[in-house]
Structures are given as structure tokens and as C-alpha cells.
Amino acid sequence: MEPESGTSTSRNPSQLSWVNLSRNLLLAYQSFGVVYGDLSTSPLYVFTSTFRGKLQNHHDEETIFGTFSLIFWTLTLIPLLKYVFILLGADDNGEGGTFALYSLLCRHAKFNLLPNQQAADEELSSYKYGPSSQAVASSPLKRFLEKHKRLRTALLIVVLFGACMVVGDGVLTPAISVLASVSGLKVTEKKLTDDELVLLACVILVGLFALQHCGTHKVAFMFAPIVIIWLVSIFSIGLYNTIYWNPKIVRAISPYYIIKFFSKTGKEGWVSLGGILLCITGTEAMFADLGHFTALSIRLAFAFVIYPCLVVQYMGQAAFLSKNLGSVANSFYDSIPDPVFWPVFVIATLAAIVGSQAVITATFSIIKQCHALGCFPRVKVVHTSKHIYGQIYIPEINWILMILTLAITIGFQDTTIIGNAYGLACMTVMFITTFLMTLVAIFVWQKSVLIAVVFLLFFWVIEGVYLSAAFIKVPQGGWVPLVLSFIFMIVMYVWHYGTRRKYSYDLHNKVSLKWLLGLGPSLGIVRVPGIGLIYTELATGIPAIFSHFVTNLPAFHKVLVFVCVKSVPVPYVSPKERFLIGRVCPRPYRMYRCIVRYGYKDIQRDDGDFENHLIQSIAEFIQMEAVQPQFSSSEASSSLDGRMAVISSRNYDYASSLVVSEHEDIGVDMSVPSSRSATLQSLQSVYNDDTPQVRRRRVRFQLPENPGMDPDVREELLDLIQAKEAGVAYIMGHSYVKARKSSSFLKKLVIDIGYSFLRKNCRGPAVALNIPHISLIEVGMIYYV
């Protein structure tokens, strides 16, 4: 879902506002299923988790009133005040989450650690999102952070730690939600044993993860109604319990009851905060899933539906408990009136599954963003929805999450212990988000440091108290997210470190342009018809792998294109701005550079049109270069490599440089004259017999009848068309990265064992870039880093 560029102003304003409101109301309705499943199922386990442990000695009306007062103010200050009113305004081109905040910071202050960034990236329309950063350019704090690389690395580690905690949520949410929902069977006539409940929860969890490959869109239309029926149920039950059992509970909204609660319970009350914070688990989803909705729709849904329903439900449960002190162990199900028990049990189980689904999808999204930052190994990303951009499925991560979730469910068998782990993970993410939000207020919104520090201290004091209570629970299950985060952090750090070392080796071993110019246009070898796409991570310069080719092969393609696929710190790059085209050597060499740019939420799709877009873009560049003098220069200029032009990959209908004819066929049309060898053509036909379902559009380019065209330009375009007809080969380095002999033991451990293991067990770059296997040439190369 790419952000809209604007709305037509030709309609009358009242009609426009009505259309806007109705669209936001529809999005608010859809957001119930995706965003609020987790938050709305918290009443299943909050009171049970709070009163477990030392607080068992304080089962009286006053303590229960104080507990409800704490829940009410926690819900009011963190989800309502911090998230709904403040954080939802800090979006990045409509996207939310910790990565969106980090991306904003990378663009407004030079905190970026991504390699191969160029000045041209700053010209992207989505790069300029937010206020201008000129006014804050001289800030001493900004200069200090930009100067010290260690501080920028520390910032990235903080962001990745937050991301690892979200992955921890992806493991813990399904476990606690499903286990808590099926625990209702304990209070029925046929009391199920704990082992039977765990078995039932495991069956539901296996089903939930096994259905992930279908994508959420197939069941998403049911999600919103399920959560809405669930919200209506808990609101009605809460209202009934408040009126029937103890209407005086309404007084507990006063913060006075919190003071009484702590003066009475002391340290036990502080420890019990680890249970109370579970009432706001799932709040981060409001911000993280912002990209699928709008800030207004999420605000409307929370303020007018979620918040009142949750407050009334907690009030009702507290009213019931104040008169039924023995029901604390299973407070939610005990408080349901008998006639509606089974319908509520069924809808609770469905709502728990919906809540788990949203968190699993968010985990896939986080992993994808980590990969875009160069901090996670390549994984298979499957796009599961034609309508909702960004709904993805990652098979490897899905099965890892399932195994971990089942291990936790079977290992702990208790929602309170899992709750300790879950609370710690959620609170850590909130703590990190507050810190990043403070930096955004200073560097992006350009607020005074004083206002930002007040914001930081106010929320850090509240969250710090909860976090300290959650840390007390580390021995009782709280260690789980810390261990999971530690493992994921090691994987991320090793991958990031290895990738950076490899990139810096490439950077320091670039081929000299003088050497290339000295070889002459033939490069000292035979130039055969065809296009060679040489993949490299370098955005400028010629990679060492190319000299490896020129010195070892007797022939090379007539047209060479150095292709660099890279990530930029924006959520999406518009297809119009995706390609940057430039020349590497003077015209007779027929050597070009193409930089393909993706945002951290973009999905690289295999639409089979990459080659055609590329040829079209190079043709447009050749034409543009002839017309615009700033792109052409003297033949001997060694500064040639560096000037790039953004070429819009427009539809073929509008193509001005080349005339395009296309037809759909399966495999290769043998009637097309081609200089491919008979062997290659027969190989291609065998390949197509094995993959009959792959239907490709065969596109043929021709030069338009244009008598005024420069003869040199015409000749170059003809060479390009003939090369395309002869065939395209994809050339990649098959690299082996090893630590130098003089390296320390730790570096050898990280590079030779850690990084090597990850590279062998992750997707190959050719698979990740959707490169056709039949056209791939890989060249082995050892990197000593």
C-alpha cells in the first residue's frame, strides 16, 4: 500500500470531508481485526496474573479497587495519551513502528549505517517526508552524535534489540492467548486436566501456524467481526457485573485508590505491577501496523470503541472479584453469567487466534525490515495479498516461531509464567519506542530539547516502574524474551558485521578506471553479442570480480551493465524513481551502471519484466544524454563513473526511445532470429518443458523512424537492441568470506564459523533477486577480510 500522493480538490469541501470520514471509518472497522486482537484479549489473564504470588495475602475489596485504578490509569496514560495522541503523529510516509522512527532519524540526521548510500537517494520524493531538516543543521547534539560512529552503532543496536523483543512477542502472544482462552474449560462440569488443556492449545497453535501460508486476506474478512463481537461481549458482561455485583467500583477511577493500594501492599504491590502491565500488551501494534491504515482510523477505533470496552470489562471483573474473592485464579471465566458461558468461550478462543495472527504477521514484517537494513540473513518472502500491500509470509521464520511457541506452551503450561515473559518483552519495546520518539521530537519535529526531555522523563518514569517489576520476574519465566532476543541479536550482529566487512573489501579492491580505459573499447578480449548483467553491491566503481573475468575469460558480452540492488532508508520507493542509470566508461565501451533502489518495506517481485524495464531505461538514458549536455562529457574523462540519472520505468505504451511489440508465449519463440547457439536454445526448450507454468511476455524492441536522430545515438541503440535479442546473462560472484590469518580469535569465530554458517543456510542472492537459473553465471571468489 503506497502512500497516496494527494486528493483531488475539484469536489466540494463538505463532500470531500464526508468521503474522507467514511474511508477512515471503514479503515477503523478493518483495524479491529488486524491491530486490536491482542490488546482486546488481555482481560483473559490480567487479574489472574496480578494476584498470583505475594499479592495472594491481600485478597480484599480495597486491594481489588486499587488494582482496577492502576489498570485504568495505565490504559489512559500509555495507549491513549502516548500512542494515540503523540506517537501516531510520528509516521514515516504513513508507516509506523520502531524502524519508521529509526528511518526518520537516519534521514534528518546522519545516523545511517547502511552502505552504498548516495546523494541521489536524498532526491527521492519519500526521502523528503517530514519537516525540513535545515533549521536544525547546527544543533550541537546532532553534530556530536554524527561525529561518533560508536553512538550511531549503539542506536542501531537499541533498535535491533527492540526488533528482537517484537520477535519474542511473536513467540509468546500465541502461547499466552490460546492457553488463556482454552483455560475456560477448567470451570465447566467436565473439568479438563492441565495436560488436556495444553494438548488442545498445541493443536490450535499448530493449525494457526500451518495456515499462515494462505495469508491473512483469506480469513481477514472474518477477523474484524470476531473482534467486534468479542468487544460487545466483554463490554456487556462488564456492565452487567458492575451493576449486579458492586456499582461502587466506579469510584476507583480516582488515583487516590492507587496511593491506598501501595501504602497497604508495599513491595508486594510493586511486584504485582508485572501482572498489571499485561493490560497494555499489544499496544505497540497500533503504531507498528499504521502502514495498513491511517492515524485517524486507528485513533477513532481506540478512543471510541476499544478504550471504553476494555475499561468497562476491567471494572466489571473488579466488581465481581470484590464480592467473590475466591475466584481470582480464573476471574474472567468465573465472572461470565452461566447462560452465555459457551458462546463467550468460543468467541474468546477465536479472538485469541485473531490476536496471535496479527502479531505473527508483524513478526514477518520486522524480519523483512531487518533484512533491508542488512541485519538479517536472506529469507524467502512470499507476498500473500493482492489488496493489502505488505502482507507477507516467511516460511523459515514461521516454522521457527511455531517450534518455539509449542516449546513454551508445553514447557510452562501456565499463563502466569508466560505472562511474566510477555510483559517484559512488551515493556522493553515501549521503553525503546519512548527513547526513539524523544530523538524524533528533537531532530525531526525540531522541538526544544526541554520539551523532549519532559516527554522522555514522564513516560520513562511510568514505564521504568513497570519494567523494574517485570525484571523481578526474570527467574519466573521473564528470562525467555531475554534469551530469545540474545540469540536473534547474535544472528543479526554476525550477519551485519560479515556483510559490512565484505562490502568494505569490495570498496578497497575496486578496479581502477585508468586500467580499464587503457584496455580500450574491446577490453583486450573478444566482445560477443549479448548483454551481461554484473551484480555488485558497489554503487560506484568497478568491482574486483570484473577484473577476475577480463583476465580469465577469452570473450565477454558486447553490452555490460553493472547492477546494484540496494536499500534506502524510506519505506517505499515509487516505481517511477526505482532506476538510476549512468555510464561507466566512454560511449564506445558500451558499459553502463544501473542502481535499483528499494525501501525497507518494498517487496521485490518476480514479474519477469526487469530485463525489459532495464533495456528501456538504458535507451532513455542514451537519448537523454544526447539532449542534455550535463550528462555527456569528453571521452577521456575519468569522472564518468558517478553521474547518474533517474529514469522512470514507465509503461511501454509511453516509451519514446524504442518501439515495442509484445506477445505472450511459453518459453522461447524459435522463429525470432537469434544469435544464440543451437545448444543454448535446446537447453532453454528443455528448461521450459520442465517449467510449463511459467508464461513470459516476449518483448521485441525496434528503433523508431526518426531521421533527426544523432548517428552515434542510433548506432548505440541498435547495439543495445541486438544485444537484447542475442540474450541476457546474469553474472554474480559466488563469494567465500574468510578472516585473515592475523585476525583475532573472536573475529575468526564470527567470520569463519558464524557468518559462514549463516551464508550456507540462508537463501542464495540469485534466489533472493529472482534471477532465472538458466541464465546465471557464478564466479567463485575468496574474500580475506
Side-chain angles (χ1 to χ4, degrees), residues 194-213:
D194 283 350
D195 290 346
E196 289 167 331
L197 283 179
V198 169
L199 184 65
L200 177 62
C202 288
V203 169
I204 293 171
L205 288 168
V206 170
L208 174 67
F209 282 102
L211 288 172
Q212 287 302 311
H213 70 277

Side-chain angles (χ1 to χ4, degrees), residues 528-559:
V528 294
I531 296 178
L533 300 183
I534 300 163
Y535 278 78
T536 170
E537 287 173 19
L538 296 176
T540 56
I542 295 159
I545 187 175
F546 183 65
S547 64
H548 204 55
F549 264 121
V550 174
T551 49
N552 289 297
L553 288 181
F556 219 76
H557 301 85
K558 194 164 190 178
V559 174

Side-chain angles (χ1 to χ4, degrees), residues 1-5 93 389 572-575 578 602:
M1 175 176 150
E2 303 228 1
E4 292 177 16
S5 53
N93 292 277
Y389 194 86
Y572 301 104
V573 175
S574 149
R578 183 135 6 253
D602 267 324

Side-chain angles (χ1 to χ4, degrees), residues 161-180:
F161 185 63
C164 291
M165 283 292 183
V166 173
V167 175
D169 279 357
V171 172
L172 296 163
T173 304
I176 191 170
S177 301
V178 173
L179 203 53

Side-chain angles (χ1 to χ4, degrees), residues 245-277:
W245 291 107
N246 196 349
K248 288 181 191 165
I249 190 74
V250 178
R251 295 181 194 163
I253 287 172
S254 159
Y256 166 68
Y257 283 85
I258 297 176
I259 299 163
K260 278 177 77 175
F261 173 82
F262 282 118
S263 61
K264 184 168 185 289
T265 58
K267 189 188 170 191
E268 283 97 350
W270 169 61
V271 172
S272 74
L273 290 176
I276 287 169
L277 68 82

Side-chain angles (χ1 to χ4, degrees), residues 328 347 666 770 784:
V328 163
I347 204 74
I666 302 176
N770 301 314
Y784 285 105

Side-chain angles (χ1 to χ4, degrees), residues 664-679:
E664 199 173 87
D665 71 350
I666 302 176
V668 169
D669 182 358
M670 292 302 175
S671 66
V672 175
S674 167
S675 61
R676 287 180 180 178
S677 69
T679 316

